[in-house]
């Protein structure tokens, strides 16, 4: 069942930033305690090729998000150590050097399991080993969540592995939702801030 | 759990078109049998104000979708009779006269229940009436599904009630996915057809 | 099991009137709090053809019911928005313009499920989608309830879809029951007010 | 859940007629095997006062029902022996002498339990006697069923104990349903045979 | 398991007497509260032929039972209304006019179910109607209970339908039990009051 | 639930006769295979005082039972060895010397458990010994069964411990039932063979 | 699981002695309350042939047991009445006249069930009678228990039906155990009091 | 429940003999396949003091047992390696050098668990370790089984730890049982071969 | 329960090597199909500091293992992409450039779950999110498995996170086990190949 | 699941030392209460050949372990009596004379069951004996546990039966872990005290 219209799950998750600090982030509290919107985006794996372009694109638009009172958080199921290695790899070498927003390291899949965005296509009981084995790498699809200042999800979108995201679309969605918050009006299709609703 | 990466559910649903015909649509078969992509979009209710702008916007872009081998289908939980009344209401009166793509009439909620997009925020057992009562109008959020020619979902996105959709973003996603289908490349962030990947 | 001899279920249901107001009605409290009898009648769908004649017939007899201390309430599973659109459609166009009693908008089927009057003829588990799917449009038959001032049901009657109701018969039943309330006598067959019991 | 739109339950029930014959009636087969409609009416108890007037009223209208290809069957939970004693009691003594249609003797409540029309208002487990005890006399309300030639119920109506039935209303309902069967039209409110639909 | 040696079940049951009064009898309290013995006898149905002779025979011996501090109560599963009709039917017409002891009207079978004396020879689940249906008329065998002043059953006897009872045998059993109560001796076979034990 | 109207349970039980033979008796087969009626009577214990008078009384009436095609069988829960010792004890010493009908030795309580005639007034779980302990001596009340040539029970009667039986009453019941078998008439109260029914 | 090393079960059992007194014995309390050892021996049935020789043998050795602070108790599943009859039967007639120690009358098998010494070789569910039937006479094997002053079992031995016991062996076991109690030494094989350990 | 009267369990158990051979013994087959009686005796532990005297005593009487067609088998829960070490320890050093009958090494407790002779006085679930822990050393009491040529147990006896056995008593029991086998007579108390039964 | 003495689980796991090939390894089949021993070692995470020294140490001893017919396989729960990034990181930068044996990428934890070597110290149900959340990073301890040519595990050892392994000890264990395989002798403590056993 | 990173189970186990004292050891408390590390090693059986060399090797290195604040404890499933016999057997005769550290006598397998180190390869339900029988001797593999001063396990290793342990490796592991405790550094592969980390 969709998370839209509900509170984002309250959960502490390991995180890493470009300083090499390891810390915990609770996405819900990030929104509510700081009275900010949050854009949380998941990508499948560190050290792959489509992913860094997305991370760089969100970095490039970071000012736009800040102007809209919005925090950006990236996330994958890799460990904090791997995040740090990637943060220290130059963009030319497929790295994400220069990214300054934090990255969740959901290696125990606590959060991604609740969100239901792991690429597990099947679970089978294996009698020989008396265990349940999963099919898939147990990493996430490209899922994106927009969360308002009260922690309520107002957009969730999930792309299949090979299809990258459009950063401008999220800016449009944030603007539209902010418009509703401020004006109490609904935003019709193709609405954009500054254009007539 | 997300439908991305999985087949869209196979289910016959009542539908209505502008001719007043009532018929059944199976979204999965619509894609697979006709070798087409499908864009399926849900809106909350007929005879409201934000919804018709979305329906008109998709109608306006119908040629773009056809050029991309993509069928457009609208959907709500109203009955076929109500769809027909709305289709016969002039745009100026808040109607959707002029819409030519079919509309699902999921009054029994068979499909929207599977998709998990109904606005039910709670279910409570009421002892007095020995029944389970739901909170919410039991209508859908603004959910959108992009389905490829094999019936696999490659995008799902859900907006909260008051936030309209951006038709161009779906065209971009279809182009990006088609690019992957044809070129076997992944599409980085902000990619657009004709721009260099 | 029949509701006759039992209290009508206590439940708040969305409603719409000809002024376009959306509000909640609790049928049981409508009777008990106002010390009135209630006639509650259900019809399958807005914007169909047999239904408006029934709605107009109850409207025409509204004075008779008021004289008998009886409130009339209509009901279907359409939304309040659809009710309002229909209330604004002229009688000549198949609308119900002129109806002044309130209409329940039981879009979440909370009340109609308890009453057991939905046209669900079967429920089947679909293994492919791991869901229970219903057969039928999930709308109500033509069910009518007569409720006394203490909230006790003293008549329930259900007609198949195509068979309209006879408003005079409900007036006769109300008179007969009132006669019993006042005189403490039972009312034999074919009894009518003013005719000798 | 209502029986309307479903087949009447197939069940053999004891019956008695004015000749003193005891035999079995299966209401469903009575309709299907003879290609007739059936009007089945239940009353609470033999040897009471409101009941005989109903039985005499149906007897008086028997020709009207026959003209409409409709069989009339009465029913209560008394035994066949009691039915026969009542059939042999003169009308002036509160008896039903002169009734010629058969009476079901559902003393084992097999059929009335399925129909859910017994006046059981509660069932309580009594620990002292390790048994479930019912509240109520375990007799039926005034329930009426109209069944078509295929055994499908097209009307069910239930009156509280003291309120008698109107025989003409059933004739109207039969006419209306027959009209639909023959003309394929729905019958609006207050419709009567011979009056314009 | 036999009730002998145990308290008779405590239960209020509808009853009728020759005055037409309807009231409740609790057999256990009838014995304990009044410090009397109770003879409770069940017969299958009102308005049959073997039954009235038994009822008349107990009436004829009523003085003998009173002399022995013993209350007589008859019982069947017919309603109080039917009991009254039978009490008003002359003996020559197969009635029980003249009977003065009360008759239980166990129409809801609360007591006869606990005693296990109903003629139900089988219970079968009927899948078509999703109900349990019983075989038999759901009336009682000819069961007799002798209960002492503390409510303990000291004799239970059950005859098949067509075999009538011998009133003198119950007088003998009461005398024998009273002898044991008074003398503290056991009563050998064929013992009769006044004959040497 | 009463055994009346049902087949007597089919079970082999140890038995002893006055010759000291130990053998098995199946009461049901005793009736059916020999086309005889059976009178089976149970008494609590060998070597007590009220019991031998009953056994002698049945012995004295043995010719009467044989004339009525009826086999007499006694029964208790003592062993065959104890039965034989008692059969060899003179009447003057409280023995039953002279009894020629067989005695069941139901020491394993297989049959008496099914009949539900053991004097167990309670079963309690004892935690200390992790066992269920019974209250009572686990011997039978004075239960009597009359069984017809097809094995159907037509009378069951149970007396409390200290109250002896009346042999003539069983002769009357057999005569009455035989009358019904031969004449197809029911036997009214107090009926006796040779007296007018 | 063996009772050796555990407390003997605490249970009141009916008993009889040569005076004809019926009373209750709790074997555990017999030991603990009187600070005595107890020898409890079970035999299958009264009025058989091998059993009386054992009972006489224990009687003959009663002084030896008393000298060792040991109470002797016999036991079978016969009733107290049967025990008394046997106690009154002369030794020459196969009786046990002269026995002065008490005999348990475990007719309800409460104790023998806990000990697990009944000759039940099978329990089968009989579908026809819906009951569990046992194979075997439900009497005990020749089981013997030696219990110390604290109620702890220090020997249990069970012989098949036809093999009698050796009274001297129990005296040896009591002596050996007493030796351990007094000297704190273990008693090697074949040890006898007075012989060198 | 006692094993007397039942077959000894069929189970292969590790064994050791004085030659140092490790092999399997199935006690039941030892009896049945060789048409011999078996005396199986259990002792608690190797390398203790009371135990070797028992093992030597059985060794000393081995000829007597062979004359009676009886095989002797010793048993404890020690391993075969420990048995061999003890068999190689001189009698003067507390060893069992000179023992020639085989010794079961039931280190996995398969057989002793079935026999119920382990000194486990309690089993407690320990929440901290989520395991069931036993109280006691999990070794056997001094249990002895006499088994006939068909594998049926005709004696079982269990002594508490410190009380040694009497080899002659087992010879007496074997003689008594053989007497019954040959003569078909039961053996009264204190019977000994050659003495008059 | 330990895997020693049992077959290693048969499971296909993703793997990466220094060529950048992604492929599947089934450890059991690696041993059995190639008739080789396998040394499988797990480390917690890529891009940490203690781990690379272990990986380099195994690489340095690779010839020794090959001489002993032993395949070396490393393993962690990182993805194949991360393994490849680490394989391409120079040793001086904390990388593992130069490692030629394959590395399992058990990102879905299928194998590590069966082995029970994940650092999950607790699992708690979180009611707010209706999910089970784990404590720990869900990565493995330093576990090592030695598997023989038939797939049987002959050593398993697990070190806490911060304690590195001793490569020579595994060579000793392989030599000792090979000695047993070849000589059929057991290897005493501290045994080393070439030293006298 | 591995015990590494968790507390060692808290359990009292029987133990024996070279003085012949029997006492209880709780391994966890041995570490925590004395603020010592513990090396606990298990071997399969007393009186075998590979085992004593291991026991002598640990004895020889006892000083090294004491220098490292480490207690050595041996363990098998043999009884304390067998341990004592083995401790009294000269080394030349395969004994362990000279061993001074304590030996656990886990004859009831309470601890080895929790550790999961018993050689049970299968458990099968045997219907004939209604018991679960195990395959294997129910003795332990060569398992070794290193436990720190807080009772946390920092190494567990298990060798198959025939492969002896290397005492020096445990000294290295203790040194490495102590280094981490003192220096807060992780210990890379092949690290040894005094060599550069």
């Amino acid at each position: 069942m969709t998370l839209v219209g509900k509170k984002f799950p309250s959960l502490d998750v390991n995180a890493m930033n470009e300083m090499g600090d390891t810390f915990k982030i609770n996405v819900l509290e990030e929104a509510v305690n700081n009275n900010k919107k949050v854009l949380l985006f998941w990508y499948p794996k560190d050290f792959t090729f489509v992913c860094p372009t997305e991370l760089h694109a969100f970095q490039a638009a970071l000012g736009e998000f800040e102007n809209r009172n919005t925090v950006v958080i990236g996330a994958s199921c890799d460990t904090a150590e791997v995040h740090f290695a990637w943060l220290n790899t130059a963009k030319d070498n497929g790295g994400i050097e220069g990214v300054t927003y934090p990255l969740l390291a959901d290696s125990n899949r606590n959060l991604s399991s609740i969100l239901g965005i792991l690429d597990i296509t099947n679970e089978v009981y294996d009698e020989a080993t008396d265990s349940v084995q999963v099919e898939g790498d147990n990493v996430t699809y490209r899922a994106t969540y927009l969360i308002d200042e009260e922690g309520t999800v107002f957009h969730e979108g999930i792309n299949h592995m090979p299809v990258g995201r459009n950063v401008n679309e999220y800016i449009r969605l944030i603007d539209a939702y902010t418009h509703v918050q401020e004006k109490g009006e609904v935003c019709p299709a193709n609405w954009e801030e500054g254009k007539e609703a």
Side-chain angles (χ1 to χ4, degrees), chain A:
Chain A
M1 182 160 288
T2 181
L3 273 180
V4 167
K6 306 197 182 64
K7 299 284 176 196
F8 194 84
S10 176
L11 202 71
D12 290 341
V13 185
N14 284 331
M16 168 59 67
N17 64 12
E18 91 281 13
M19 312 295 289
D21 303 323
T22 61
F23 54 109
K24 296 273 183 184
I25 290 185
N26 180 313
V27 174
L28 177 65
E29 295 179 356
E30 204 71 10
V32 175
N33 295 357
N34 302 322
N35 194 31
K36 296 212 176 249
K37 291 194 178 63
V38 175
L39 181 154
L40 170 69
F41 73 98
W42 295 79
Y43 58 93
K45 302 175 179 177
D46 289 10
F47 289 108
T48 59
F49 294 103
V50 74
C51 296
T53 70
E54 287 197 322
L55 279 88
H56 292 305
F58 280 109
Q59 181 67 28
L62 210 53
E64 293 295 317
F65 287 109
E66 283 168 3
N67 291 342
R68 286 162 176 83
N69 194 38
T70 303
V71 172
V72 172
I73 303 172
S76 81
C77 293
D78 288 291
T79 64
E81 285 79 358
V82 171
H83 280 348
F84 189 58
W86 205 26
L87 283 163
N88 283 316
T89 302
K91 198 168 168 177
D92 289 352
N93 289 338
I96 58 169
E97 204 173 29
V99 163
T100 61
Y101 49 80
L103 299 178
L104 301 188
D106 191 33
S107 68
N108 55 22
R109 275 74 173 168
N110 275 347
L111 181 52
S112 44
S113 293
I114 295 173
L115 300 178
I117 57 175
L118 290 161
D119 69 340
I120 302 300
T121 51
N122 206 359
E123 300 198 7
V124 286
Y125 174 74
D126 180 52
E127 194 167 349
T129 54
D130 184 19
S131 64
V132 173
Q133 293 170 14
V134 301
E135 294 175 11
D137 284 352
N138 204 16
V139 299
T140 68
Y141 291 105
R142 299 186 188 280
T144 317
Y145 295 85
L146 294 177
I147 303 161
D148 71 14
E149 294 83 350
E150 298 188 334
T152 303
V153 178
F154 63 91
H155 170 80
E156 73 180 27
I158 304 171
N159 285 4
H160 206 346
M161 295 293 182
V163 181
R165 273 162 286 213
N166 176 4
V167 172
N168 287 333
E169 173 67 5
Y170 300 106
I171 292 173
R172 189 193 70 85
L173 285 163
I174 292 168
D175 285 344
Y177 190 77
T178 304
H179 179 84
V180 176
Q181 290 177 311
E182 293 171 352
K183 306 283 174 56
E185 295 174 3
V186 297
C187 283
N190 300 340
W191 183 94
E192 289 183 38
E193 181 64 31
K195 300 206 313 196
E196 195 173 341

